Amino acid sequence: MKLWPHAFPSHEAKLYRAALDYDVVILFSPGGWGDVLLEKAQDFAPIIEGIRRTLDQLGYSSTTVVYTRTLPGLSGRLTGVREHFNLFEYGSRIQVREIKHLLTRFPEKYVILAGFSNGGGMCGKTIQSFVGHSRVFSIVAGVPGWYQTFV
């Protein structure tokens, strides 16, 4: 059921711009409503920094794109509640489509899904569509127990 599909932000333009200049695009899904900027995500920002530092040591350039899951306002929050109850069924499909589109345009790039708490739940749902894919990975922490985060 698509109650408020307009309340999901699109990330395709941000992903495309990121992939132009970097080997690895890290999609950060913050916890809570999923609308926290990386600079304010004190719980997960150090993990992202560690991932980027490791990638740099391995010779890969990387950037982080915050994958916001809800827009401000009532319709955004209502969509967020619906997504939580539906275990990110609709939002994950959008994210999978955007990642597949990105990798079709840039087949040599890598994508790392990184999520904290509810954002980790979203990553867990999305990574299920990339089982066996050699260019998409997922790193999550603090995920509530009702989300499947592994395959």
Side-chain angles (χ1 to χ4, degrees):
M1 177 165 66
K2 296 180 184 178
L3 297 177
W4 300 282
H6 64 280
F8 285 94
S10 174
H11 299 86
E12 287 198 55
K14 287 193 290 187
L15 294 175
Y16 178 83
R17 284 190 305 274
L20 284 173
D21 297 322
Y22 297 94
D23 302 317
V24 181
V25 178
I26 301 168
L27 296 183
F28 170 55
S29 290
W33 291 107
D35 57 358
V36 175
L37 299 175
L38 182 59
E39 303 80 43
K40 298 203 183 230
Q42 297 173 356
D43 42 22
F44 209 76
I47 295 170
I48 296 287
E49 185 54 40
I51 294 168
R52 294 196 61 201
R53 193 171 33 253
T54 300
L55 289 168
D56 187 54
Q57 291 169 354
L58 294 171
Y60 294 98
S61 62
S62 66
T63 189
T64 304
V65 173
V66 177
Y67 200 91
T68 51
R69 296 187 312 278
T70 58
L71 293 173
L74 181 59
S75 67
R77 293 299 191 231
L78 289 173
T79 299
V81 168
R82 182 186 58 99
E83 277 294 286
H84 286 280
F85 284 124
N86 288 315
L87 305 176
F88 300 110
E89 188 67 39
Y90 183 69
S92 175
R93 268 186 282 163
I94 292 171
Q95 189 175 51
V96 167
R97 185 185 68 229
E98 290 174 344
I99 293 169
K100 285 182 176 179
H101 185 254
L102 177 76
L103 293 175
T104 298
R105 302 250 351 226
F106 302 98
E108 73 286 359
K109 305 296 180 172
Y110 293 90
V111 174
I112 297 176
L113 302 168
F116 179 72
S117 188
N118 290 329
M122 172 89 162
C123 292
K125 181 70 174 176
T126 298
I127 197 66
Q128 292 175 29
S129 295
F130 293 99
V131 173
H133 198 289
S134 63
R135 297 205 172 259
V136 183
F137 307 92
S138 181
I139 299 170
V140 299
V143 180
W146 53 86
Y147 295 119
Q148 181 179 355
T149 57
F150 58 90
V151 287

